[in-house]
Amino acid sequence: MRAFVLQGLSASTAPDIFYVDSFWTKDVVDTGKMQALDDLISASSVLKKADLLTNLVETFTLNGKLYAISKDFNSLIWFQNIDQFNQAGVDLLTSDDDFNDVLTKLSAVAGKTGKPTVLNPDGARFLPLAFSAGMPLLTEDAKGKKAPFGSTEAKLAAEFYTAPFTQQFQGRKFPKKFGMTSSDVQTGWPGEAFYKEKASCVIEGGWLVPPIRDNNPTENFSSVFPPLASNTGQRGNFLFTVGYGMPSFGPNQALAFKVIEAITSPEAQAFILEAGLALPSRKALLNNPILSTPKDTFQRADKVDFLAAGLPGSVPFRFDPVGGGYLDTINAGLTKIFNGEANVSDAMDAAAAELDKKLVDLGLRKA
């Protein structure tokens, strides 16, 4: 999709409306051929910025201008198998737990039931924890600054994320390993491990709800916000979203915007929510019965996911100005820790050095 949109904008052949992923928003805006939507929204009686979740508006706002309307979104939440916690006699995770609380509970569940926390060396799951611990997000205004992965805050979060594998966190020693990767439990991704009840806990988004409903509708589970960092008491999260954008050329702009108004209308978004397809970007949908008075565990998970996106510390899933190389670098560092090839400090220092090289190559800092 990214290549298709970029090619269409470059050749002035882009369709009247197209998807814009938060991950590559800057790439398409930098072509200079994206239509800023601010004036169209100001003139609209159907769609206003205030109608949308603030964090989603900010996701598609660059240089003070809004370039896409979020169609739906997801954020990260922690799913837990209630029966496995009950079997172990361990209190469920809560949204008030910090890093230490979570590790104590997950270690105990695995020790008594044999059901691990299933995690992969995935920066998309790890980085919000690092942000919550105080690691700065490298943004366009970070020119000249060093890569943050070697910071004390980043290393604290990496200790927490990898503790189920390394069995240690901030001087604490855990009696045995209580984490496994999705491949360790013969599944394709952590969500599959969860709905097959091979995992006591996973970090996923609302996208896990339909697979549970389809594959294991009687699974007894709940979900909570990501934990509070043990050093700051703060929380972090990513917003995963796709929006509708328009080119700055073409004869159908007015009609195209009317279509965007229609497909992001309260009625259209209510249909998406009630069909279980995704979470709506309009604030008013919080008053829909599915979110205001959820009747089952699936709807309760949707509500937790919806609310998590609006909490302080939620940031768009994008890595300007480095792009995907930012994620690749931290994934490589986490993999070394998971595999026992390096300790947390050395792996994070190496990831910082690698990212520094990328910053030099991009002209964002001197060697």
Side-chain angles (χ1 to χ4, degrees):
M1 179 61 72
R2 174 182 174 275
F4 170 77
V5 173
L6 286 171
Q7 182 178 359
L9 290 172
S10 177
S12 296
T13 58
D16 294 327
I17 302 171
F18 46 80
Y19 281 160
V20 181
D21 192 303
S22 61
F23 192 73
W24 39 265
T25 300
K26 184 177 183 297
D27 295 343
V28 293
V29 171
D30 282 350
T31 66
K33 294 187 176 183
M34 279 281 289
Q35 176 64 49
L37 304 177
D38 304 82
D39 291 342
L40 292 166
I41 288 177
S42 295
S44 174
S45 60
V46 178
L47 179 61
K48 298 294 184 184
K49 289 183 183 180
D51 297 333
L52 306 170
L53 290 170
T54 302
N55 286 347
L56 296 179
V57 173
E58 293 173 351
T59 295
F60 292 113
T61 299
L62 280 81
N63 304 316
K65 295 181 179 180
L66 179 64
Y67 286 95
I69 304 300
S70 176
K71 64 181 285 286
D72 52 47
F73 74 94
N74 270 287
S75 58
L76 294 171
I77 54 179
W78 289 53
F79 289 79
Q80 57 188 331
N81 184 297
I82 294 174
D83 289 341
Q84 292 172 14
F85 274 73
N86 288 345
Q87 178 187 345
V90 175
D91 290 340
L92 292 172
L93 301 178
T94 76
S95 293
D96 294 323
D97 285 345
D98 69 7
F99 289 175
N100 278 294
D101 299 324
V102 168
L103 294 176
T104 296
K105 293 177 181 180
L106 295 181
S107 174
V109 172
K112 293 178 179 179
T113 68
K115 300 294 184 179
T117 300
V118 174
L119 294 170
N120 290 336
D122 180 6
R125 305 296 187 273
F126 160 73
L127 287 168
L129 300 167
F131 300 147
S132 74
M135 187 191 86
L137 179 64
L138 191 67
T139 58
E140 220 25 283
D141 63 0
K143 187 172 183 178
K145 296 182 181 178
K146 294 191 68 174
F149 298 151
S151 67
T152 300
E153 297 82 3
K155 290 179 179 179
L156 171 70
E159 274 195 59
F160 168 69
Y161 188 77
T162 61
F165 297 84
T166 66
Q167 301 171 229
Q168 50 191 330
F169 175 69
Q170 295 289 285
R172 295 179 65 187
K173 304 288 185 180
F174 297 94
K176 60 169 60 175
K177 178 179 172 181
F178 55 100
M180 291 188 180
T181 65
S182 56
S183 60
D184 289 337
V185 294
Q186 291 79 52
T187 58
W189 61 297
E192 181 185 355
F194 190 76
Y195 69 69
K196 288 184 174 179
E197 302 197 48
K198 294 183 175 185
S200 63
C201 181
V202 296
I203 308 170
E204 294 294 338
W207 55 79
L208 178 53
V209 173
I212 299 173
R213 184 189 292 115
D214 294 342
N215 294 282
N216 190 4
T218 61
E219 181 170 8
N220 190 16
F221 76 95
S222 66
S223 55
V224 296
F225 296 151
L228 302 168
S230 53
N231 62 329
T232 66
Q234 302 300 308
R235 210 183 313 271
N237 213 329
F238 270 140
L239 294 174
F240 303 90
T241 184
V242 173
Y244 297 112
M246 298 165 43
S248 59
F249 51 83
N252 301 317
Q253 286 189 317
L255 179 59
F257 188 72
K258 285 191 175 297
V259 172
I260 291 176
E261 288 178 323
I263 57 183
T264 60
S265 68
E267 296 79 9
Q269 293 224 321
F271 170 80
I272 290 172
L273 174 63
E274 290 162 8
L277 301 175
L279 293 175
S281 56
R282 282 182 174 263
K283 296 176 184 176
L285 268 293
L286 186 58
N287 296 321
N288 185 288
I290 288 178
L291 296 178
S292 63
T293 54
K295 65 182 182 181
D296 59 34
T297 190
F298 304 110
Q299 293 182 1
R300 286 192 288 273
D302 283 339
K303 181 173 183 177
V304 171
D305 199 11
F306 188 94
L307 294 175
L311 295 174
S314 297
V315 297
F317 183 64
R318 69 178 193 229
F319 304 102
D320 308 337
V322 181
Y326 187 97
L327 201 58
D328 295 340
T329 301
I330 194 60
N331 286 348
L334 293 172
T335 298
K336 290 178 182 178
I337 304 170
F338 272 52
N339 292 341
E341 298 170 6
N343 63 36
V344 168
S345 184
D346 290 346
M348 295 300 286
D349 284 341
E354 183 62 28
L355 184 56
D356 277 336
K357 292 178 183 177
K358 295 182 187 297
L359 294 172
V360 171
D361 291 343
L362 290 168
L364 294 170
R365 61 169 302 219
K366 295 180 180 179

